[in-house]
Amino acid sequence: MIHLICPNPAIDRTLLIKDFKAGVPNRPYEVKEFAGGKGFNVAYAIGFEEPNVAFCVHTIIGGRNGEFLKDLAEERKVPLKLTHIDVNTRLCNIIIDTEKLINYPIYENSFNLEESLLDQFTNKLESSISSGDYVVFSGSLMKGMPSDYISTFIHKFKNTDVKFIVDTSGEALVNAYQAKPYAIKINDEEVLDLVPNKTFDTIESYAELLDSDFTKDIPCFIITLGPKGIIAKINDGIFHIHAEKVNAKNPIASGDFFLGALVKNISIAEDSLTTLKRAISYSTANVLNWYPELHASDVEEIYNNLTVTRFK
């Protein structure tokens, strides 16, 4: 089972508008709604294609919006583990000017995560985790979560075969790194949270970091480099992989799609290079769409045209 942690969900409502203007009525020519939050985007990638694997999203919902979010998740065949609250789940609007290729994310504030609610959510999550499971923490910690929330989980299950995959930043990342999860996926800015005095001016400089004691006891460590692709240590190999340039429509959620493909392929014991190539193909294919989704033909074309350099 893959557990995706998403306590702060939203209904993500994407509106496509041609030539968005201030001070006048703007009428979208297309609107779609999705169960949103980084954990849900990861879930969409996991469920995109066969083989099917068991996964679920642990989340907190409330009110009519919460019920609607549950319906949207069911439409996309995303299983949920729910904690309920009285507050209505937030609605986030993403306005995309499809002529100027500019997006305007408008995100509502979340509910207050009080200690009793966090305890309830945490206890449900802990009781759901079994031997051999994967637990994925993606995105910043929700306000109200202590900075050692992820690292506490890692330590609690340290002597089991539960694998933790972490994609976060700041103090939460520092604490998680020190706890040595199975995998860390961060970008070229977030790595500076861990090595603030280091300068990276070449792909080789990243490879040297990944081939050092810095990644000792962390089997999978990935740094995404934007248009330059990824540099990754996975098991005993170090790879730089990048895709050919594409005409991007909407970059939102591309990192989450990478993470979903990564954890799925790790869980089915796919080989290291295929796992990384699949992940970057998903993330690149996602930017070709206005919405968080994939098309098989895009994924395969990107996969077959990737450039791979192996450092180790």
Side-chain angles (χ1 to χ4, degrees), residues 53 134 182 262-272 274-275:
V53 298
Y134 294 79
Y182 177 80
L262 177 77
V263 66
K264 177 177 180 174
N265 281 276
I266 288 174
S267 73
I268 62 175
E270 188 60 86
D271 69 89
S272 298
T274 299
T275 294

Side-chain angles (χ1 to χ4, degrees), residues 36-306:
K38 296 183 77 63
F40 282 98
N41 294 329
V42 175
Y44 298 150
I46 291 175
F48 169 62
E49 62 182 348
E50 294 182 346
N52 296 320
V53 298
F55 69 95
C56 66
V57 175
H58 295 259
T59 192
I60 302 172
I61 64 169
R64 291 183 178 180
N65 282 356
E67 291 303 310
F68 183 40
L69 183 143
K70 185 166 69 170
D71 292 341
L72 291 171
E74 288 176 357
E75 288 177 11
R76 298 286 293 265
K77 299 181 180 179
V78 176
L80 304 178
K81 296 282 188 180
L82 294 173
T83 299
H84 292 275
I85 53 172
D86 294 331
V87 180
N88 206 23
T89 294
R90 63 192 179 128
L91 173 66
C92 295
N93 290 285
I94 301 100
I95 299 170
I96 300 178
D97 186 327
T98 58
E99 287 190 355
K100 299 173 184 174
L101 297 180
I102 301 174
N103 62 67
Y104 303 86
I106 304 167
Y107 295 163
E108 286 186 8
N109 290 323
S110 180
F111 57 89
N112 292 323
L113 186 62
E114 298 177 350
E115 185 175 354
S116 59
L117 177 58
L118 177 58
D119 288 343
Q120 183 183 354
F121 176 79
T122 302
N123 291 337
K124 283 188 176 183
L125 172 58
E126 284 185 8
S127 64
S128 298
I129 300 172
S130 300
S131 177
D133 286 355
Y134 294 79
V135 183
V136 181
F137 287 94
S138 56
S140 301
L141 290 180
M142 185 178 177
K143 186 178 180 181
M145 287 182 162
S147 61
D148 65 349
Y149 187 76
I150 299 173
S151 59
T152 298
F153 263 94
I154 298 170
H155 286 301
K156 186 167 291 188
F157 289 88
K158 198 70 177 180
N159 296 321
T160 71
D161 61 352
V162 175
K163 294 181 174 64
F164 288 85
I165 291 87
V166 176
D167 177 6
T168 190
S169 60
E171 193 173 353
L173 171 61
V174 173
N175 288 330
Y177 166 77
Q178 292 171 348
K180 306 303 180 188
Y182 177 80
I184 290 178
K185 189 215 73 127
I186 50 180
N187 63 33
D188 51 355
E189 294 181 357
E190 291 160 346
V191 71
L192 297 177
D193 291 332
L194 300 176
V195 284
N197 298 321
K198 196 160 182 65
T199 299
F200 300 97
D201 48 12
T202 63
I203 299 298
E204 288 76 11
S205 60
Y206 289 105
E208 288 172 5
L209 178 72
L210 298 183
D211 195 28
S212 69
D213 287 343
F214 174 76
T215 61
K216 186 179 179 181
D217 300 324
I218 302 176
C220 181
F221 202 112
I222 296 165
I223 305 171
T224 60
L225 306 172
K228 296 179 181 178
I230 65 162
I231 182 78
K233 169 201 164 183
I234 182 165
N235 299 321
D236 293 326
I238 297 177
F239 304 88
H240 174 233
I241 307 174
H242 68 91
E244 293 184 348
K245 185 177 180 180
V246 298
N247 294 319
K249 289 182 177 179
N250 183 7
I252 293 175
S254 60
D256 305 325
F257 275 71
F258 182 102
L259 191 61
L262 177 77
V263 66
K264 177 177 180 174
N265 281 276
I266 288 174
S267 73
I268 62 175
E270 188 60 86
D271 69 89
S272 298
L273 183 55
T274 299
T275 294
L276 294 173
K277 289 175 67 177
R278 212 72 191 153
I280 195 170
S281 298
Y282 273 37
S283 63
T284 306
N286 175 66
V287 308
L288 300 175
N289 305 293
W290 299 120
Y291 307 105
E293 59 188 12
L294 298 170
H295 299 288
S297 58
D298 293 334
V299 172
E300 294 308 314
E301 182 176 354
I302 292 164
Y303 183 91
N304 291 327
N305 289 282
L306 293 171

